Amino acid sequence: MSDTSKIKKTEETSESIDQQQADAAKISAVLASGVFTRWMKYSKLTDKQKELYKVISKKSKENVDTLKKNFNRENIFEVENFNFWYDNRSKQALKDVEMKIKRNKVTALIGPSGCGKSTFIRCLNRMNDQIENTSSEGNIYFDKGINLKSKKLNTLELTTRVGMIFQKPSPFPMSIYENVAYGPRSHGINDKKTLDHLVEESLKGAALWDEVRHNLFDLGTSLSGGQQQRLCIARAIALKPETLLMDEPTSGLDPIATSKIEVLINQLKQHFTIIIVTHSMAQAQRVSDETAFFYQGNVIEMGTTKQMFTSPKNKKTREYISGKIG
């Protein structure tokens, strides 16, 4: 073979490898897309790329469906190299997040507005899957080491096991009783005695029973803001979740209502893992056992709340806690 032929053969091989890598990268991006955009991106692949997609997708599924062998049972979540994008990857909200969240503890997520806290907490029950043009890479493992991307864990099961309390109280436009009974009913529980017990137990668990026991059939929306938030907590715990996600649950409440919610959080951690997003440094110190500091999509530092607020290791953490950055 002449030198010219060898050079041409090498160039063709190099181009072939480059094209394979480019195809693989494109397919990985399709697989990482949210369910609403994946099929659109898939339809734009070439026939050759679609064949490669099937191979990579099958291998990826096998990996995703395998339990993480070294998952620590003291944790409820283990997050590894997790990235998240909005708007077709034009805006990256989370960058290489690594985190371990302990069971039956309160973990506070702190950081300035827009740093990724709320995005992250919504990834823990896959709520962000409902948003178009989003995608993610990396892994989040739950409970005994199951990957949240696994088809063995459907969205309904996940949202049942990982409840969500939003920033603004959102009771359904129905009675207090039906607000709490709604979840169990949707799971096929219709026996009146069973529902009565669940409603009472849940309202007691949310420290609301004594205030509403004689008015159970009043509209949930007729309650005060603080009571509505506790009603939403009762509605969440009626499904017996393992984890409660709270996205700034007291931001719109007065000091008295805020105090009641904080006391409740300390009681609930005996039975649930709680992850709370908060802008209040004082609140994080009052209610949490662990604290993670987010900044520009990165987890800068995580540790016990006492350590984070008394002797933070990272300069940015010290500056945020002291008010120098925000």
Side-chain angles (χ1 to χ4, degrees), residues 126-219:
R126 292 175 55 182
M127 282 193 67
N128 287 329
D129 287 4
Q130 301 172 32
I131 303 173
E132 292 188 22
N133 302 321
T134 61
S135 61
S136 65
E137 289 180 358
N139 297 299
I140 300 177
Y141 298 97
F142 173 59
D143 192 21
K144 297 175 182 178
I146 189 168
N147 196 312
L148 291 194
K149 295 177 182 178
S150 174
K151 297 298 183 183
K152 294 180 180 179
L153 182 65
N154 65 54
T155 304
L156 177 60
E157 180 187 353
L158 180 62
T159 53
T160 299
R161 297 174 67 185
V162 184
M164 185 83 181
I165 309 299
F166 297 97
Q167 181 176 352
K168 184 179 179 181
S170 55
F172 299 145
M174 54 182 66
S175 72
I176 295 166
Y177 182 99
E178 289 300 332
N179 261 275
V180 182
Y182 182 87
R185 281 191 198 279
S186 66
H187 282 71
I189 299 174
N190 292 300
D191 178 72
K192 187 177 185 305
K193 286 186 178 180
T194 302
L195 287 173
D196 287 349
H197 174 71
L198 277 172
V199 169
E200 181 176 346
E201 182 183 49
S202 301
L203 288 170
K204 284 180 176 177
L208 189 58
W209 174 253
D210 290 339
E211 298 171 40
V212 301
R213 60 186 300 181
H214 300 300
N215 306 294
L216 290 177
F217 295 97
D218 287 356
L219 281 173

Side-chain angles (χ1 to χ4, degrees), residues 27 34 58 65 78 115 210 220 230 239 254 300 303 321:
I27 289 162
K58 182 179 179 181
D65 287 341
E78 292 187 6
C115 67
D210 290 339
R230 281 182 283 150
L239 291 172
D254 60 63
I300 301 299
I321 289 172

Side-chain angles (χ1 to χ4, degrees), residues 5 21 24 58 61 90 93 165 173 195 204 230-231 243 282-283 288 297 307 315:
S5 298
Q21 291 175 338
K58 182 179 179 181
K61 183 179 183 299
S90 65
I165 309 299
L195 287 173
K204 284 180 176 177
R230 281 182 283 150
L231 176 60
T243 302
Q283 183 174 75
S288 69
Q307 175 262 310
K315 181 182 177 183

